[in-house]
Amino acid sequence: DLMRSTDTARIISENRTEKPQPLADLREIDLGEWDGLAMAEVRKRHPAAWRKRGEELAAFRPPGGESFGDLQSRVLRIFDRIAEKCMGDVLIVAHAGVNRVLLCRLLSMDLAHLFRLEQDYACLNLIDTARRPFRTALMNLTPERARGWFAARIRPGAP
């Protein structure tokens, strides 16, 4: 329900009958007192806490914030409800942290490795929820890569 995600969802759904439903449970990680600060500033002001974050990425909570483990629990609860309730295709517009913790679970990856998953701006991840366990069918497809992918497969003059 943050502005960038809400605006993106609104643009995508402009010519559709379904309208976006903002969900606070899909909000980006809460960094508490660190929210809004550049990472360089956090490292400078709180070197010991920053070091601890690197050592305990899944469990570390900045003052007043949540850990990536907390975020994953929050996101998985709502994702599972969406997957069970909705029939057909569903688009979830979210920030990179939300995407990464979800993908970590789907790929059976430890949260300590979440930053190994690239999540570029405006990328698409395709998750097949028709079978259990869910399948990650596509990951981090950006508009630029999509144009190249489709252009390489479409013959000139083909419909």
Side-chain angles (χ1 to χ4, degrees):
D1 65 346
L2 297 176
M3 186 170 48
R4 192 170 38 163
S5 292
T6 301
D7 289 348
T8 301
R10 191 175 303 114
I11 291 166
I12 292 169
S13 67
E14 215 166 61
N15 296 318
R16 300 186 179 277
T17 55
E18 301 88 3
K19 295 303 171 201
Q21 298 176 22
L23 300 171
D25 283 342
L26 290 172
R27 185 179 290 175
E28 182 61 298
I29 190 168
D30 179 359
L31 293 175
E33 294 177 16
W34 293 7
D35 197 35
L37 297 176
M39 290 297 116
E41 184 64 24
V42 173
R43 280 192 301 267
K44 181 180 171 185
R45 287 187 193 180
H46 311 283
W50 181 259
R51 197 169 29 261
K52 186 175 179 184
R53 177 186 183 265
E55 294 165 359
E56 303 172 10
L57 191 59
F60 178 80
R61 286 184 188 93
E66 65 184 336
S67 69
F68 280 105
D70 298 333
L71 174 64
Q72 187 179 57
S73 294
R74 173 168 52 85
V75 168
L76 289 175
R77 276 192 308 273
I78 190 70
F79 180 79
D80 287 342
R81 275 190 267 149
I82 292 168
E84 290 297 324
K85 179 181 171 186
C86 297
M87 303 303 288
D89 296 335
V90 175
L91 176 68
I92 296 174
V93 180
H95 289 257
V98 170
N99 295 349
R100 285 184 174 114
V101 298
L102 177 58
L103 289 167
C104 279
R105 176 57 62 88
L106 295 172
L107 298 170
S108 300
M109 266 179 75
D110 190 288
L111 281 176
H113 306 297
L114 72 100
F115 288 114
R116 291 182 183 178
L117 299 173
E118 291 292 331
Q119 288 293 281
D120 295 317
Y121 289 118
C123 76
L124 178 68
N125 301 301
L126 182 60
I127 300 165
D128 178 358
T129 60
R131 297 179 287 168
R132 301 293 190 271
F134 297 154
R135 314 266 188 212
T136 305
L138 183 75
M139 208 167 62
N140 199 40
L141 181 67
T142 61
E144 295 79 24
R145 288 190 200 110
R147 278 191 288 278
W149 189 86
F150 287 110
R153 286 160 181 76
I154 298 175
R155 297 180 316 256

PDB file of all heavy atoms in Angstrom, residues 62-83:
ATOM      1  N   PRO A  62      16.455  -3.611  13.072  1.00  0.00           N
ATOM      2  CA  PRO A  62      16.902  -2.272  13.427  1.00  0.00           C
ATOM      3  C   PRO A  62      15.980  -1.729  14.523  1.00  0.00           C
ATOM      4  O   PRO A  62      14.836  -2.184  14.650  1.00  0.00           O
ATOM      5  CB  PRO A  62      16.754  -1.467  12.140  1.00  0.00           C
ATOM      6  CG  PRO A  62      16.177  -2.361  11.121  1.00  0.00           C
ATOM      7  CD  PRO A  62      15.931  -3.702  11.724  1.00  0.00           C
ATOM      8  N   PRO A  63      16.440  -0.775  15.311  1.00  0.00           N
ATOM      9  CA  PRO A  63      15.588  -0.237  16.386  1.00  0.00           C
ATOM     10  C   PRO A  63      14.224   0.212  15.852  1.00  0.00           C
ATOM     11  O   PRO A  63      14.141   1.006  14.921  1.00  0.00           O
ATOM     12  CB  PRO A  63      16.397   0.957  16.917  1.00  0.00           C
ATOM     13  CG  PRO A  63      17.808   0.679  16.516  1.00  0.00           C
ATOM     14  CD  PRO A  63      17.737  -0.108  15.242  1.00  0.00           C
ATOM     15  N   GLY A  64      13.166  -0.367  16.409  1.00  0.00           N
ATOM     16  CA  GLY A  64      11.814  -0.022  16.013  1.00  0.00           C
ATOM     17  C   GLY A  64      11.353  -0.659  14.712  1.00  0.00           C
ATOM     18  O   GLY A  64      10.262  -0.362  14.241  1.00  0.00           O
ATOM     19  N   GLY A  65      12.173  -1.539  14.135  1.00  0.00           N
ATOM     20  CA  GLY A  65      11.839  -2.128  12.839  1.00  0.00           C
ATOM     21  C   GLY A  65      11.611  -3.621  12.905  1.00  0.00           C
ATOM     22  O   GLY A  65      11.441  -4.194  13.982  1.00  0.00           O
ATOM     23  N   GLU A  66      11.597  -4.240  11.743  1.00  0.00           N
ATOM     24  CA  GLU A  66      11.401  -5.679  11.671  1.00  0.00           C
ATOM     25  C   GLU A  66      12.577  -6.346  10.972  1.00  0.00           C
ATOM     26  O   GLU A  66      13.312  -5.701  10.224  1.00  0.00           O
ATOM     27  CB  GLU A  66      10.076  -6.022  10.979  1.00  0.00           C
ATOM     28  CG  GLU A  66       9.980  -5.638   9.528  1.00  0.00           C
ATOM     29  CD  GLU A  66       8.606  -5.906   8.911  1.00  0.00           C
ATOM     30  OE1 GLU A  66       7.849  -6.765   9.395  1.00  0.00           O
ATOM     31  OE2 GLU A  66       8.291  -5.244   7.907  1.00  0.00           O
ATOM     32  N   SER A  67      12.734  -7.631  11.212  1.00  0.00           N
ATOM     33  CA  SER A  67      13.786  -8.411  10.567  1.00  0.00           C
ATOM     34  C   SER A  67      13.266  -8.943   9.232  1.00  0.00           C
ATOM     35  O   SER A  67      12.060  -8.907   8.955  1.00  0.00           O
ATOM     36  CB  SER A  67      14.181  -9.585  11.459  1.00  0.00           C
ATOM     37  OG  SER A  67      13.122 -10.535  11.512  1.00  0.00           O
ATOM     38  N   PHE A  68      14.175  -9.478   8.428  1.00  0.00           N
ATOM     39  CA  PHE A  68      13.738 -10.114   7.192  1.00  0.00           C
ATOM     40  C   PHE A  68      12.922 -11.368   7.500  1.00  0.00           C
ATOM     41  O   PHE A  68      12.024 -11.726   6.737  1.00  0.00           O
ATOM     42  CB  PHE A  68      14.923 -10.433   6.282  1.00  0.00           C
ATOM     43  CG  PHE A  68      15.392  -9.227   5.512  1.00  0.00           C
ATOM     44  CD1 PHE A  68      16.560  -8.581   5.876  1.00  0.00           C
ATOM     45  CD2 PHE A  68      14.664  -8.731   4.451  1.00  0.00           C
ATOM     46  CE1 PHE A  68      16.992  -7.465   5.183  1.00  0.00           C
ATOM     47  CE2 PHE A  68      15.080  -7.613   3.754  1.00  0.00           C
ATOM     48  CZ  PHE A  68      16.250  -6.974   4.116  1.00  0.00           C
ATOM     49  N   GLY A  69      13.193 -12.030   8.626  1.00  0.00           N
ATOM     50  CA  GLY A  69      12.367 -13.154   9.055  1.00  0.00           C
ATOM     51  C   GLY A  69      10.950 -12.705   9.369  1.00  0.00           C
ATOM     52  O   GLY A  69       9.977 -13.384   9.002  1.00  0.00           O
ATOM     53  N   ASP A  70      10.820 -11.566  10.055  1.00  0.00           N
ATOM     54  CA  ASP A  70       9.496 -10.991  10.336  1.00  0.00           C
ATOM     55  C   ASP A  70       8.770 -10.675   9.026  1.00  0.00           C
ATOM     56  O   ASP A  70       7.585 -10.973   8.866  1.00  0.00           O
ATOM     57  CB  ASP A  70       9.600  -9.699  11.143  1.00  0.00           C
ATOM     58  CG  ASP A  70      10.230  -9.872  12.514  1.00  0.00           C
ATOM     59  OD1 ASP A  70      10.143 -10.970  13.086  1.00  0.00           O
ATOM     60  OD2 ASP A  70      10.803  -8.871  13.005  1.00  0.00           O
ATOM     61  N   LEU A  71       9.495 -10.049   8.118  1.00  0.00           N
ATOM     62  CA  LEU A  71       8.920  -9.679   6.824  1.00  0.00           C
ATOM     63  C   LEU A  71       8.449 -10.929   6.087  1.00  0.00           C
ATOM     64  O   LEU A  71       7.334 -10.956   5.558  1.00  0.00           O
ATOM     65  CB  LEU A  71       9.953  -8.925   5.977  1.00  0.00           C
ATOM     66  CG  LEU A  71       9.537  -8.593   4.543  1.00  0.00           C
ATOM     67  CD1 LEU A  71       8.357  -7.635   4.517  1.00  0.00           C
ATOM     68  CD2 LEU A  71      10.714  -8.013   3.775  1.00  0.00           C
ATOM     69  N   GLN A  72       9.276 -11.961   6.065  1.00  0.00           N
ATOM     70  CA  GLN A  72       8.906 -13.179   5.360  1.00  0.00           C
ATOM     71  C   GLN A  72       7.633 -13.798   5.944  1.00  0.00           C
ATOM     72  O   GLN A  72       6.734 -14.193   5.207  1.00  0.00           O
ATOM     73  CB  GLN A  72      10.047 -14.193   5.380  1.00  0.00           C
ATOM     74  CG  GLN A  72       9.767 -15.405   4.507  1.00  0.00           C
ATOM     75  CD  GLN A  72      10.904 -16.381   4.516  1.00  0.00           C
ATOM     76  OE1 GLN A  72      11.312 -16.865   5.576  1.00  0.00           O
ATOM     77  NE2 GLN A  72      11.440 -16.672   3.340  1.00  0.00           N
ATOM     78  N   SER A  73       7.534 -13.848   7.259  1.00  0.00           N
ATOM     79  CA  SER A  73       6.327 -14.398   7.897  1.00  0.00           C
ATOM     80  C   SER A  73       5.083 -13.605   7.498  1.00  0.00           C
ATOM     81  O   SER A  73       4.047 -14.186   7.163  1.00  0.00           O
ATOM     82  CB  SER A  73       6.471 -14.374   9.420  1.00  0.00           C
ATOM     83  OG  SER A  73       7.486 -15.239   9.825  1.00  0.00           O
ATOM     84  N   ARG A  74       5.207 -12.294   7.520  1.00  0.00           N
ATOM     85  CA  ARG A  74       4.083 -11.417   7.165  1.00  0.00           C
ATOM     86  C   ARG A  74       3.670 -11.624   5.714  1.00  0.00           C
ATOM     87  O   ARG A  74       2.492 -11.788   5.396  1.00  0.00           O
ATOM     88  CB  ARG A  74       4.486  -9.961   7.426  1.00  0.00           C
ATOM     89  CG  ARG A  74       3.487  -8.943   6.940  1.00  0.00           C
ATOM     90  CD  ARG A  74       3.753  -7.548   7.462  1.00  0.00           C
ATOM     91  NE  ARG A  74       5.049  -6.977   7.300  1.00  0.00           N
ATOM     92  CZ  ARG A  74       5.485  -6.325   6.210  1.00  0.00           C
ATOM     93  NH1 ARG A  74       4.716  -6.229   5.143  1.00  0.00           N
ATOM     94  NH2 ARG A  74       6.689  -5.779   6.189  1.00  0.00           N
ATOM     95  N   VAL A  75       4.651 -11.649   4.824  1.00  0.00           N
ATOM     96  CA  VAL A  75       4.380 -11.771   3.395  1.00  0.00           C
ATOM     97  C   VAL A  75       3.824 -13.154   3.052  1.00  0.00           C
ATOM     98  O   VAL A  75       2.880 -13.266   2.260  1.00  0.00           O
ATOM     99  CB  VAL A  75       5.658 -11.469   2.580  1.00  0.00           C
ATOM    100  CG1 VAL A  75       5.517 -11.868   1.129  1.00  0.00           C
ATOM    101  CG2 VAL A  75       6.015  -9.990   2.696  1.00  0.00           C
ATOM    102  N   LEU A  76       4.374 -14.190   3.636  1.00  0.00           N
ATOM    103  CA  LEU A  76       3.905 -15.546   3.313  1.00  0.00           C
ATOM    104  C   LEU A  76       2.468 -15.771   3.757  1.00  0.00           C
ATOM    105  O   LEU A  76       1.705 -16.451   3.059  1.00  0.00           O
ATOM    106  CB  LEU A  76       4.828 -16.597   3.923  1.00  0.00           C
ATOM    107  CG  LEU A  76       6.200 -16.699   3.264  1.00  0.00           C
ATOM    108  CD1 LEU A  76       7.083 -17.671   4.026  1.00  0.00           C
ATOM    109  CD2 LEU A  76       6.093 -17.088   1.805  1.00  0.00           C
ATOM    110  N   ARG A  77       2.090 -15.207   4.895  1.00  0.00           N
ATOM    111  CA  ARG A  77       0.690 -15.349   5.349  1.00  0.00           C
ATOM    112  C   ARG A  77      -0.280 -14.800   4.315  1.00  0.00           C
ATOM    113  O   ARG A  77      -1.250 -15.454   3.933  1.00  0.00           O
ATOM    114  CB  ARG A  77       0.480 -14.631   6.683  1.00  0.00           C
ATOM    115  CG  ARG A  77       0.861 -15.432   7.896  1.00  0.00           C
ATOM    116  CD  ARG A  77       0.355 -14.789   9.176  1.00  0.00           C
ATOM    117  NE  ARG A  77       0.710 -13.392   9.348  1.00  0.00           N
ATOM    118  CZ  ARG A  77       1.848 -12.970   9.906  1.00  0.00           C
ATOM    119  NH1 ARG A  77       2.726 -13.824  10.366  1.00  0.00           N
ATOM    120  NH2 ARG A  77       2.086 -11.679  10.026  1.00  0.00           N
ATOM    121  N   ILE A  78      -0.020 -13.603   3.824  1.00  0.00           N
ATOM    122  CA  ILE A  78      -0.942 -12.999   2.868  1.00  0.00           C
ATOM    123  C   ILE A  78      -0.811 -13.652   1.495  1.00  0.00           C
ATOM    124  O   ILE A  78      -1.803 -13.855   0.796  1.00  0.00           O
ATOM    125  CB  ILE A  78      -0.775 -11.447   2.791  1.00  0.00           C
ATOM    126  CG1 ILE A  78      -1.902 -10.811   1.974  1.00  0.00           C
ATOM    127  CG2 ILE A  78       0.557 -11.051   2.207  1.00  0.00           C
ATOM    128  CD1 ILE A  78      -3.234 -10.843   2.636  1.00  0.00           C
ATOM    129  N   PHE A  79       0.391 -14.013   1.106  1.00  0.00           N
ATOM    130  CA  PHE A  79       0.578 -14.677  -0.191  1.00  0.00           C
ATOM    131  C   PHE A  79      -0.192 -16.004  -0.237  1.00  0.00           C
ATOM    132  O   PHE A  79      -0.881 -16.299  -1.219  1.00  0.00           O
ATOM    133  CB  PHE A  79       2.061 -14.923  -0.478  1.00  0.00           C
ATOM    134  CG  PHE A  79       2.284 -15.612  -1.794  1.00  0.00           C
ATOM    135  CD1 PHE A  79       2.234 -14.901  -2.982  1.00  0.00           C
ATOM    136  CD2 PHE A  79       2.524 -16.978  -1.850  1.00  0.00           C
ATOM    137  CE1 PHE A  79       2.422 -15.535  -4.203  1.00  0.00           C
ATOM    138  CE2 PHE A  79       2.709 -17.622  -3.061  1.00  0.00           C
ATOM    139  CZ  PHE A  79       2.659 -16.893  -4.242  1.00  0.00           C
ATOM    140  N   ASP A  80      -0.099 -16.783   0.826  1.00  0.00           N
ATOM    141  CA  ASP A  80      -0.828 -18.059   0.874  1.00  0.00           C
ATOM    142  C   ASP A  80      -2.334 -17.834   0.794  1.00  0.00           C
ATOM    143  O   ASP A  80      -3.047 -18.572   0.108  1.00  0.00           O
ATOM    144  CB  ASP A  80      -0.472 -18.845   2.136  1.00  0.00           C
ATOM    145  CG  ASP A  80       0.920 -19.452   2.075  1.00  0.00           C
ATOM    146  OD1 ASP A  80       1.480 -19.572   0.959  1.00  0.00           O
ATOM    147  OD2 ASP A  80       1.458 -19.804   3.137  1.00  0.00           O
ATOM    148  N   ARG A  81      -2.835 -16.794   1.473  1.00  0.00           N
ATOM    149  CA  ARG A  81      -4.270 -16.486   1.411  1.00  0.00           C
ATOM    150  C   ARG A  81      -4.681 -16.086  -0.003  1.00  0.00           C
ATOM    151  O   ARG A  81      -5.722 -16.507  -0.499  1.00  0.00           O
ATOM    152  CB  ARG A  81      -4.638 -15.379   2.393  1.00  0.00           C
ATOM    153  CG  ARG A  81      -4.911 -15.929   3.789  1.00  0.00           C
ATOM    154  CD  ARG A  81      -5.506 -14.879   4.681  1.00  0.00           C
ATOM    155  NE  ARG A  81      -4.381 -14.254   5.375  1.00  0.00           N
ATOM    156  CZ  ARG A  81      -4.334 -13.000   5.778  1.00  0.00           C
ATOM    157  NH1 ARG A  81      -5.340 -12.194   5.601  1.00  0.00           N
ATOM    158  NH2 ARG A  81      -3.275 -12.527   6.394  1.00  0.00           N
ATOM    159  N   ILE A  82      -3.850 -15.269  -0.650  1.00  0.00           N
ATOM    160  CA  ILE A  82      -4.148 -14.844  -2.019  1.00  0.00           C
ATOM    161  C   ILE A  82      -4.158 -16.058  -2.946  1.00  0.00           C
ATOM    162  O   ILE A  82      -5.069 -16.228  -3.765  1.00  0.00           O
ATOM    163  CB  ILE A  82      -3.125 -13.784  -2.500  1.00  0.00           C
ATOM    164  CG1 ILE A  82      -3.307 -12.472  -1.729  1.00  0.00           C
ATOM    165  CG2 ILE A  82      -3.243 -13.558  -4.008  1.00  0.00           C
ATOM    166  CD1 ILE A  82      -2.177 -11.477  -1.924  1.00  0.00           C
ATOM    167  N   ALA A  83      -3.158 -16.922  -2.822  1.00  0.00           N
ATOM    168  CA  ALA A  83      -3.056 -18.099  -3.689  1.00  0.00           C
ATOM    169  C   ALA A  83      -4.240 -19.050  -3.502  1.00  0.00           C
ATOM    170  O   ALA A  83      -4.716 -19.656  -4.461  1.00  0.00           O
ATOM    171  CB  ALA A  83      -1.740 -18.827  -3.425  1.00  0.00           C
TER     172      ALA A  83
END
